[in-house]
Structure formats: structure tokens, C-alpha cells
Amino acid sequence: MTNQEFINKCKWRVSDYLNQLVGKETACKPENVFVVWQAKVLQNHKALLGTRFANYYFECTFNGDKGELYMDIYSKLENKCFKVTN
């Protein structure tokens, strides 16, 4: 699988998950999903994805040995700010 094929599959899975979540077929299209980080090692791929439509963070992993794609979904609980002084 090429990098672009992997990314396309991930974007489609993320948009499909969000569309099922809200019960609307076109709530989030694959082109509305962006890649934050991506890596490929040997036959395996990993990508971190996000979208402006939801406070979720998606981690997709492709296991090239088994031909399986896994998707972990994380939710942002809160955002804290800490003052840093020198």
C-alpha cells in the first residue's frame, strides 16, 4: 500500500465514523479530514488525523503483515495553560 492509499483510507474511515456518529451521510467528507503526522516503517503505516467538525483525535495504524487497519479515537477533555518563567 502506498502512503497516499493509506491516507485516503484513513480519511474515509474518519469521515465515515463521524457521519455514523451524527446520523448524517455527508456531515464530514474525507477532504475535511487533515493529517497531523504520518510515518511508514517497513510495511506498516501510522497517521494522526483531525477535523474541525469534532473534538476528536484519530490514530490510524495499518498492519502490513495482517492487512488490517486499526483506528483509535480520543476525545479532548480539557485545555490547561501553565505559566512558564525562566
Side-chain angles (χ1 to χ4, degrees):
M1 176 181 310
T2 67
N3 285 339
Q4 193 56 54
E5 289 171 332
F6 169 68
I7 292 303
N8 291 344
K9 288 181 189 302
C10 292
K11 287 183 173 186
W12 185 86
R13 288 289 173 192
V14 168
S15 66
D16 184 57
Y17 171 81
L18 292 172
N19 292 338
Q20 288 182 23
L21 196 64
V22 297
K24 192 172 179 186
E25 203 169 300
T26 58
C28 178
K29 297 179 181 174
E31 54 265 22
N32 299 125
V33 178
F34 56 87
V35 177
V36 177
W37 176 84
Q38 171 192 1
K40 181 178 188 297
V41 177
L42 301 174
Q43 71 279 8
N44 304 310
H45 295 264
K46 185 175 284 276
L48 308 177
L49 303 103
T51 180
R52 65 182 180 90
F53 295 107
N55 275 338
Y56 293 113
Y57 162 76
F58 301 88
E59 179 182 321
C60 292
T61 305
F62 177 72
N63 182 332
D65 290 332
K66 295 183 178 181
E68 296 175 339
L69 179 69
Y70 313 105
M71 185 169 71
D72 295 321
I73 303 149
Y74 303 95
S75 179
K76 181 178 178 179
L77 296 176
E78 62 184 284
N79 183 359
K80 292 198 171 260
C81 178
F82 300 95
K83 205 61 136 167
V84 179
T85 58
N86 293 336

